[in-house]
Amino acid sequence: MKWSVFGVLIAVMVTAVSTWFWADSKLNHENVLADYPGRPAAGKGTNWLIVGSDSRQGLTDTEQDDLHTGHDTEGKRSDSMMILHVGDNGNTLMSIPRDSWVPIPEHPGSNGKPVKGTTAKINSAFGNGGGRLLVQTVEQNTGIRIDHYAEIGFGGFVGVVDSIGGVEMHIDQDVKDKDSGLDLKAGDQTLSGKQALAFVRQRHQMADQDLGRMRNQQKFLGALAHQAASPGNLLNPFTFYPLVDSALGTLIVDEDCGLTDLGSLFLAMKDVNGGSGKSLTVPIGNPDYRTKTGESAVLWDTNKSKQVFDAFKNDTAVPEFK
């Protein structure tokens, strides 16, 4: 009997270790946190830059049509970006509008020659220089040093949602959006991967367009983290392994990020949704700023945003504004 129990324990340990190495091998690392002159000093707590990209990696042409993503184009753009602060004074998730009008630092071009710094929408930093340039742009405009980076594309997002059987959400009002393909009735719903992707992408139903879209993204990500962390999903191999495979297979992280770090990210997102943390958007001064070229962009409120950024850096309570 003792040997039987010992054998079971050994089998459990071998399975756990094997699962750890299997999961770790799924991570895609990139050197996005490279040092540069004038980089902000490390602050208190841990700051994640979380990026949802429009990458169609792993999607067939038919799937791209079905998901209303459009077909793959050269390069990729950010569909959403957020900073998650994990610290002693609670966890805070802050969305950054992709149309934020900010200085973009000088960076290497596709031909290797330097591209002069300019002022443009923050989304262009990701499109022109990937995660590394986006990190530098965010750091230089906020003064917040980014400690970890996580990026997921359309295919990985849909796979994660479907692997846990969909995500339960309360929809405040009927939504029908031609561009994203979303068609939902108000009330409690379980969103499939296809519906979830449309939900976090659609913006035409909101009076404030992208700002309302970011609120939906924060709401959904919190619900996703809460549901995925349930014992029924983590302890069930029929959901756990597909979840890990979908989540990590297309996830791009910084070179120093490991499974333990991702676990911390996961739990922090769950806390934000559970009410022990908070979510907000970078304080906006002008949501419809007109550039010299006639583009509509977003200007941050200089004074209020600095107060929020300082709270992130110093791990102090994030101020609330009316």
Side-chain angles (χ1 to χ4, degrees), residues 106-142:
E106 181 178 298
H107 58 278
S110 57
N111 58 3
K113 296 182 179 180
V115 177
K116 290 184 178 180
T118 186
T119 299
K121 294 180 180 180
I122 198 169
N123 191 36
S124 67
F126 185 74
N128 294 326
R132 180 183 290 196
L133 180 58
L134 180 60
V135 167
Q136 184 176 352
T137 301
V138 169
E139 288 185 335
Q140 292 195 344
N141 281 281
T142 65

Side-chain angles (χ1 to χ4, degrees), residues 52-73:
S53 81
D54 68 357
S55 171
R56 282 84 165 169
Q57 179 183 347
L59 295 176
T60 65
D61 288 347
T62 300
E63 289 171 329
Q64 291 178 46
D65 288 336
D66 186 48
L67 295 172
H68 293 255
T69 65
H71 286 273
D72 203 358
T73 56

Side-chain angles (χ1 to χ4, degrees), residues 39-92:
R39 187 180 184 194
K44 299 178 180 179
T46 302
N47 296 305
W48 285 82
L49 180 60
I50 304 169
V51 180
S53 81
D54 68 357
S55 171
R56 282 84 165 169
Q57 179 183 347
L59 295 176
T60 65
D61 288 347
T62 300
E63 289 171 329
Q64 291 178 46
D65 288 336
D66 186 48
L67 295 172
H68 293 255
T69 65
H71 286 273
D72 203 358
T73 56
E74 185 177 350
K76 55 185 177 181
R77 297 162 296 180
S78 61
D79 209 56
S80 61
M81 64 185 77
M82 307 175 185
I83 298 178
L84 174 67
H85 176 77
V86 183
D88 294 335
N89 282 283
N91 305 319
T92 304

Side-chain angles (χ1 to χ4, degrees), residues 31 81 98 120 125 137 171 208 319 321:
N31 182 20
M81 64 185 77
R98 58 183 180 175
T137 301
I171 307 301
D208 50 0
F321 304 105

